[in-house]
Amino acid sequence: MGYSVGQVAGFAGVTVRALHHYDEIGLLSPSGRSGAGHRRYDDADLDRLQRILFYRELGFPLEEVAVLLDDPETDPREHLRRQHALLSGRIARLQQMAAAVEHAMEAKKMGINLTPEEKFEVFGDFDPEEHAEEAERRWGDTYRESARRTASYTKEDWLRIQALAEDINRRFAALLDSGTPAESEEAMDLAEEHRGWINGSYYFCTYEIHTGLGEMYVADERFTAYYEAVRPGLAVFVRDAILANAVRKVQDISLEPGGGGVRS
């Protein structure tokens, strides 16, 4: 009988909508159908899905994943060997980065200045101190509020904030993968959650500020590179979801008695 789309979604940790999308674009079509016409997946389908998810985790766009998987000269074992090598390299790099970041957090907590070599190890070509003047010039009171609040953060605070950001980005990427529009309720709700994360972590983020940030994610190559590293096309998707959420809020307020501008 095989497995239903709901069962496969549960096994793999993906959405049913994503599986439907993979079927629609020919990336993963189930091997069978039930008597009622519902999708049924067999073990070979699950193996292919696993390879798809491995490549997606490594940042490959869906179109390229399809080309790789359908290459007649590459067998499944070769896919696994390639993915193992790529994942091993990423794991080693992430372990190095995690150790460097933890070192930096401990140094900051203890009031120890990082050496130039340590800064490069943590931030690469990006030097936060070098951009502090730019940040204060561009955002003024907002930057100063953020600096004041984050000055007292502990290592545990930063880990919590980072985990929340990664979770939001992961769910944005899942919506993009599944073909969900940026103007959908799911995407707008997640944009509102993103605004709440900024409110709770750094500074009071109005809808006007939030839409400005969304535009910056696309216009500033440094921010664009951050989102594109998570998923290609994610910077534009997040920007569009943020804008749609702000428009929704304006419309909600306009329907209220005596509704005015967006303040919250």
Side-chain angles (χ1 to χ4, degrees), residues 97-107 122 155:
M97 291 177 64
V101 170
E102 186 161 347
H103 180 197
M105 288 190 297
E106 289 296 335
V122 175
K155 170 184 173 180

Side-chain angles (χ1 to χ4, degrees), residues 186-207:
E186 299 98 318
M188 289 190 291
D189 288 346
L190 191 52
E192 180 64 19
E193 187 173 336
H194 178 268
R195 191 179 74 92
W197 168 74
I198 296 173
N199 272 333
S201 303
Y202 298 107
Y203 52 82
F204 178 62
C205 183
T206 65
Y207 288 96

Side-chain angles (χ1 to χ4, degrees), residues 60-225:
F60 285 78
L62 292 178
E63 297 80 4
E64 191 169 342
V65 173
V67 172
L68 288 169
L69 293 182
D70 294 334
D71 182 357
E73 297 183 3
T74 305
D75 64 24
R77 287 175 296 181
E78 178 59 29
H79 284 296
L80 291 173
R81 283 192 291 267
R82 177 190 300 161
Q83 291 170 336
H84 184 269
L86 291 169
L87 286 168
S88 295
R90 171 176 285 192
I91 289 169
R93 175 59 179 157
L94 288 174
Q95 287 175 333
Q96 293 172 354
M97 291 177 64
V101 170
E102 186 161 347
H103 180 197
M105 288 190 297
E106 289 296 335
K108 197 72 173 177
K109 183 178 178 181
M110 296 169 63
I112 300 173
N113 292 323
L114 297 177
T115 66
E117 292 79 9
E118 289 170 327
K119 286 181 181 178
F120 183 80
E121 184 180 3
V122 175
F123 300 109
D125 294 330
F126 179 79
D127 185 349
E129 292 182 5
E130 178 183 335
H131 298 277
E133 183 178 343
E134 174 192 352
E136 185 164 10
R137 183 175 66 252
R138 292 177 68 174
W139 295 296
D141 291 341
T142 298
Y143 166 77
R144 286 187 285 274
E145 180 187 350
S146 177
R148 176 185 58 78
R149 290 174 61 180
T150 59
S152 63
Y153 283 178
T154 65
K155 170 184 173 180
E156 290 70 25
D157 291 327
W158 285 116
L159 289 174
R160 173 182 53 79
I161 290 169
Q162 182 182 12
L164 288 171
E166 291 175 350
D167 179 62
I168 290 171
N169 289 341
R170 177 187 58 77
R171 286 185 282 147
F172 267 130
L175 290 176
L176 177 58
D177 282 346
S178 68
T180 302
E183 299 78 14
S184 67
E185 290 291 328
E186 299 98 318
M188 289 190 291
D189 288 346
L190 191 52
E192 180 64 19
E193 187 173 336
H194 178 268
R195 191 179 74 92
W197 168 74
I198 296 173
N199 272 333
S201 303
Y202 298 107
Y203 52 82
F204 178 62
C205 183
T206 65
Y207 288 96
E208 182 180 2
I209 291 175
H210 202 210
T211 55
L213 288 174
E215 292 297 338
M216 186 177 65
Y217 295 160
V218 175
D220 190 316
E221 62 183 14
R222 293 166 299 184
F223 289 93
T224 302

